[in-house]
Amino acid sequence: MASSTGEIVQEVDLTQQGKRGPNEIRCVRRDLLLQALEEELPRGAIRYSSRIVSIEEEDGNGDKVLQLTDGSVIRAKVLVGCDGVNSVVAKWLGLATPSYSGRSAARGFARYPDGHGFEPKFLQFVGHGFRSGMLPCNDTDIYWFFTWTPSENDKGVDESAAKMKQFVLAKLRGSNKVPAEALAAIDRSEMSDVLAAPLRFRSPLSLATASIARGSACVAGDALHPMTPDLGQGGCSALEDGVVLARCLGDALLPPPGSGSGSGRGKEDRVQAALREYAWIRRWRSVELVATSYTVGFVQQSDSAVVSFLRDRLLSGVLARRLLKMADYDCGTLESY
């Protein structure tokens, strides 16, 4: 919907046929996803509150020595940096510092214990200087988001969840075209479920030539490709990274039966080659995701008269279909030895 007119500028069936079957869109709670992944690991495999402070490389064997915030030291044969947008590993590899997009985002979660009654539709409001949307996660929970370009008048709105929620409601009410039920979903969100943050991304041009992997170290997830959330592919692409990386390392560390397991320097060389292959596979996918997400967000949020006209009359269908196209990607499968 166009925020300024209330007009439905584009309606797209998100279950339309993709390359490998019907598309779909799902909203997954991050905490539940992390819990499911953690349960697949041996107890104690994850050490929490252990952010990396510094990295050194030992002469001769190439092992990485990691100094953690709790004072402990870890020596690693292979280092995979999944330490987010402020990645210490990415900085050590020489990747460009993520840039501020000029936009910020608020996200929230509304709970309806007796059922919300919303149809299973992803509703977006674009233009008028902001981009907002909402999506049912299930029969009782609604996820919503709001992105905008901060101005001098917006100082202090991110000091608390209460201020942020009122700021979002005021912006949406100011357009006079956002449905009352969408406003009600935001209004009923608990303070603990409202988050806000500036949106940053790594320049696609820098990613084209960046050292994604060097020796026995590499990066993945937001440490590799921080992007604006306009495609909803940030967490999805991190899962893609994981599948590709596991496949590459699995081929290096667990060669097929009968091929010989190898050891010593031979295995180290195979691991380094595997990380280079991972970097080659993920580089251009990352470039495309970051560039497309930034462009989609800029066009959908813009309040420029020219951009708004082109978006609402010509580009809305293109942008909606691009959302599906970028998600319709096959990162391959994992082999079982």
Side-chain angles (χ1 to χ4, degrees):
M1 297 180 65
S3 304
S4 57
T5 65
E7 177 186 359
I8 297 178
V9 295
Q10 187 69 34
E11 194 162 5
V12 176
D13 180 7
L14 296 178
T15 63
Q16 62 185 257
Q17 190 72 15
K19 295 177 182 177
R20 285 161 298 281
N23 284 297
E24 63 177 88
I25 186 166
R26 294 194 182 195
C27 186
V28 180
R29 278 178 48 183
R30 186 179 296 264
D31 58 339
L32 297 181
L33 173 61
L34 292 176
Q35 179 182 338
L37 294 172
E38 181 188 26
E39 289 173 352
E40 294 297 314
L41 296 171
R43 183 177 296 275
I46 301 176
R47 182 187 301 186
Y48 293 97
S49 302
S50 301
R51 187 165 52 88
I52 297 175
V53 174
S54 64
I55 305 169
E56 295 181 3
E57 189 169 33
E58 291 186 339
D59 294 334
N61 58 18
D63 287 359
K64 310 300 182 291
V65 181
L66 313 179
Q67 184 77 37
L68 307 183
T69 51
D70 61 3
S72 60
V73 175
I74 294 178
R75 283 178 169 78
K77 292 288 186 183
V78 179
L79 173 62
V80 181
C82 308
D83 45 341
V85 67
N86 297 314
S87 171
V88 175
V89 181
K91 183 177 181 180
W92 183 79
L93 286 171
L95 272 70
T97 302
S99 304
Y100 174 48
S101 67
R103 303 163 57 212
S104 291
R107 303 171 177 90
F109 207 61
R111 305 172 194 272
Y112 294 77
D114 298 323
H116 49 63
F118 287 94
E119 294 183 75
K121 292 184 176 181
F122 177 25
L123 181 62
Q124 285 197 93
F125 312 100
V126 298
H128 214 64
F130 63 80
R131 175 177 176 267
S132 185
M134 57 188 298
L135 172 69
C137 300
N138 47 44
D139 292 336
T140 59
D141 301 321
I142 296 285
Y143 167 74
W144 60 265
F145 65 87
F146 179 88
T147 69
W148 81 103
T149 302
S151 68
E152 288 294 320
N153 297 328
D154 300 336
K155 284 187 175 180
V157 298
D158 57 351
E159 291 178 352
S160 69
K163 286 185 178 181
M164 178 53 61
K165 189 169 81 169
Q166 293 309 311
F167 169 77
V168 171
L169 287 170
K171 284 284 189 180
L172 293 175
R173 286 169 179 151
S175 74
N176 296 317
K177 299 297 180 181
V178 176
E181 56 268 27
L183 296 173
I186 297 173
D187 195 32
R188 72 179 294 133
S189 300
E190 296 291 337
M191 294 300 101
S192 59
D193 293 324
V194 178
L195 303 172
L199 299 180
R200 292 191 285 167
F201 69 104
R202 178 162 283 125
S203 165
L205 291 177
S206 73
L207 273 176
T209 58
S211 297
I212 297 173
R214 188 176 74 227
S216 58
C218 70
V219 283
D222 279 351
L224 167 58
H225 42 60
M227 65 186 78
T228 59
D230 304 286
L231 291 176
Q233 288 296 305
C236 300
S237 57
L239 293 175
E240 293 173 10
D241 293 341
V243 171
V244 174
L245 181 60
R247 185 172 63 244
C248 292
L249 285 176
D251 291 343
L253 297 174
L254 299 172
S259 64
S261 61
S263 61
R265 190 63 198 175
K267 182 175 288 188
E268 292 178 14
D269 291 342
R270 291 201 305 274
V271 166
Q272 293 185 19
L275 295 186
R276 290 194 297 270
E277 180 185 9
Y278 157 78
W280 179 81
I281 293 172
R282 297 304 296 164
R283 182 184 306 279
W284 298 110
R285 170 69 170 164
S286 299
V287 167
E288 185 179 25
L289 282 170
V290 174
T292 303
S293 188
Y294 179 89
T295 303
V296 167
F298 171 80
V299 173
Q300 288 189 331
Q301 185 176 310
S302 177
D303 59 354
S304 161
V306 174
V307 174
S308 297
F309 175 82
L310 292 174
R311 177 191 62 232
D312 296 346
R313 303 303 175 189
L314 301 173
L315 297 177
S316 56
V318 175
L319 296 175
R321 288 189 292 273
R322 193 66 181 167
L323 179 71
L324 293 179
K325 183 179 185 302
M326 294 305 297
D328 194 15
Y329 175 80
D330 185 1
C331 62
T333 58
L334 292 175
E335 299 294 333
S336 178
Y337 295 116

